[in-house]
Amino acid sequence: MIKKIILLVFLFGITAIQAQTAKELLDEVSKKVKSYDNIVIGFKYTLNNPAENVSQETRGDVTLKGNKYLLNLMGTKQMYDGKKLHVIIPEDEEINISSQDEEDDNSITPSKMLTFYEEGYSYKMDIVQDVKGRKIQYVKLTPIDSKSDLKEILLGIDKQTKHIYKMIEKQNNGTNITITVNSFKTNQPLSETLFVFEESKYENYYINRLD
C-alpha cells in the first residue's frame, strides 16, 4: 500500500511538472505574439472525417493586427474591423455583415488563433517532432467544459522561435482540422485601409446585414 501511495505521489509530481512546463511554454508563445505590431501568416488547411468520407485540403493566408484580421480561405474573404465581421463571397457576389462576439470562448477566430488557449483549457506536454531540423514541441489542450464539441487540440510550437507551427483540432464527431503554418512574417508595412470595408468596391453584390 505504501509503495502504491509513493508511486501515485511520484506520478502526480511528474504531471504537475509537465503542466507547469506546458504553461510556461504557452506563456512564452503568448508574450512573443503580443510583442508584434502585426502578423502575416500563410498556411495549409486540412479537414478530415473518415466516417463521413470527407477530406479537404486548401491554402490560405491571414493578416492579424490586434483583434482585427483579414482572412482569405476557400475562395472567401473574412474581414474583421474590430466591430463588424464582413464575409465576402465573390462566387455568389454576396457579402454577409454581422457582429462578432469577442467573448465567445467556443469560437477560435483568427484574432484568437494564437492566444485562444489562455482560458478554458487544461494542458500538458506531448511529443516532440523534428521537422526539417526544427524541434516542434506539441502541447495537448483539453477543454475544461465537458459539453464542448472539441475533444482536444494539439499545438505544435517551434522551440526556438516560440511560434506556433501547427494546430490540430480534434472534434468529438470524428472531424480533424489541421492548420500548418508555411510562412510567418511580423511587423509588415500594412495599408491603413486594410481592415476597412469599402462598400463602393462591391456595387453588384448583395449585402446581407445580419444584425
Side-chain angles (χ1 to χ4, degrees):
M1 177 62 72
I2 293 177
K3 288 183 178 180
K4 286 184 179 180
I5 293 174
I6 292 174
L7 177 60
L8 287 172
V9 171
F10 177 70
L11 291 174
F12 176 79
I14 291 177
T15 303
I17 291 171
Q18 286 184 330
Q20 183 182 20
T21 304
K23 184 180 187 307
E24 288 175 353
L25 179 58
L26 292 175
D27 285 345
E28 287 183 22
V29 173
S30 179
K31 183 179 179 180
K32 194 78 175 286
V33 166
K34 292 175 180 177
S35 71
Y36 300 126
D37 179 66
N38 63 68
I39 302 173
V40 181
I41 299 173
F43 61 88
K44 181 174 72 174
Y45 174 96
T46 306
L47 183 149
N48 284 298
N49 187 322
E52 299 293 334
N53 197 29
V54 175
S55 181
Q56 286 182 306
E57 182 176 305
T58 187
R59 293 183 182 274
D61 62 80
V62 62
T63 301
L64 307 162
K65 183 179 175 65
N67 67 337
K68 300 178 182 179
Y69 64 82
L70 179 62
L71 170 67
N72 293 293
L73 182 65
M74 294 183 178
T76 69
K77 177 183 291 186
Q78 294 186 30
M79 178 191 302
Y80 183 61
D81 60 10
K83 294 182 180 179
K84 294 288 185 179
L85 173 64
H86 305 80
V87 180
I88 304 167
I89 312 169
E91 184 178 358
D92 299 331
E93 293 191 334
E94 181 179 330
I95 299 172
N96 294 317
I97 303 176
S98 62
S99 298
Q100 183 167 289
D101 186 2
E102 286 289 310
E103 303 300 320
D104 184 3
D105 293 331
N106 294 319
S107 63
I108 302 177
T109 64
S111 58
K112 296 194 296 183
M113 192 176 76
L114 304 177
T115 57
F116 72 90
Y117 49 80
E118 293 179 338
E119 294 181 3
Y121 296 88
S122 60
Y123 31 76
K124 65 177 181 179
M125 289 296 200
D126 206 84
I127 64 171
V128 177
Q129 285 185 340
D130 190 300
V131 179
K132 298 180 180 179
R134 299 164 64 191
K135 297 296 182 183
I136 306 299
Q137 170 69 63
Y138 281 85
V139 177
K140 181 183 290 187
L141 295 93
T142 305
I144 295 173
D145 183 1
S146 60
K147 297 180 181 179
S148 174
D149 293 332
L150 292 176
K151 180 180 179 181
E152 64 185 30
I153 294 175
L154 289 169
L155 278 185
I157 300 166
D158 188 314
K159 294 183 72 172
Q160 181 176 358
T161 63
K162 301 300 186 295
H163 292 163
I164 293 177
Y165 165 71
K166 182 175 288 189
M167 182 176 75
I168 304 170
E169 178 184 297
K170 298 183 178 182
Q171 300 179 2
N172 287 319
N173 65 1
T175 298
N176 291 338
I177 297 173
T178 302
I179 296 175
T180 305
V181 175
N182 296 320
S183 63
F184 192 104
K185 300 178 181 179
T186 61
N187 300 333
Q188 299 296 294
L190 302 180
S191 167
E192 292 184 1
T193 61
L194 183 64
F195 306 105
V196 177
F197 175 68
E198 299 180 49
E199 190 171 328
S200 60
K201 290 183 178 180
Y202 305 95
E203 292 183 358
N204 298 322
Y205 280 59
Y206 171 73
I207 298 180
N208 185 20
R209 302 181 188 276
L210 301 175
D211 53 21

